[in-house]
Amino acid sequence: VCLIKSIMFVNKNEILNIILNMPDEFDIEDIMYKLFVFDKLKTAELDIDEQNLVKHDEIKEMVDLWLNK
């Protein structure tokens, strides 16, 4: 699993769509949160497309190792 995130470029229209779907008045934290979530979802989609995944059984083994130390 690659832990280094590569730079992701997005389409300007995707960002504009987020802004256009916001209420007429909002604070900066609201748009920052929306963009944060958008980034995380896009990153997850890219990871799925590139098969950059960890299997459930592997996660369980990792958690068991952490808890048993």
Side-chain angles (χ1 to χ4, degrees):
V1 176
C2 179
L3 298 177
I4 299 173
K5 181 179 169 185
S6 61
I7 296 174
M8 178 178 46
F9 293 96
V10 297
N11 185 312
K12 181 174 27 175
N13 289 327
E14 291 176 305
I15 303 302
L16 287 173
N17 189 39
I18 292 171
I19 293 170
L20 292 173
N21 284 308
M22 296 287 293
D24 288 339
E25 293 186 15
F26 56 87
D27 65 34
I28 296 299
E29 288 182 10
D30 292 338
I31 192 66
M32 289 173 58
Y33 177 74
K34 294 272 187 182
L35 292 173
F36 172 79
V37 171
F38 173 80
D39 175 63
K40 296 302 174 192
L41 291 171
K42 282 294 196 182
T43 301
E45 288 175 353
L46 184 60
D47 284 341
I48 291 168
D49 290 344
E50 294 177 353
Q51 295 293 308
N52 188 19
L53 308 168
V54 179
K55 295 179 181 175
H56 182 74
D57 292 336
E58 293 175 38
I59 294 292
K60 287 173 65 176
E61 289 176 18
M62 292 166 69
V63 170
D64 285 343
L65 286 173
W66 295 334
L67 295 177
N68 291 325
K69 281 194 170 185

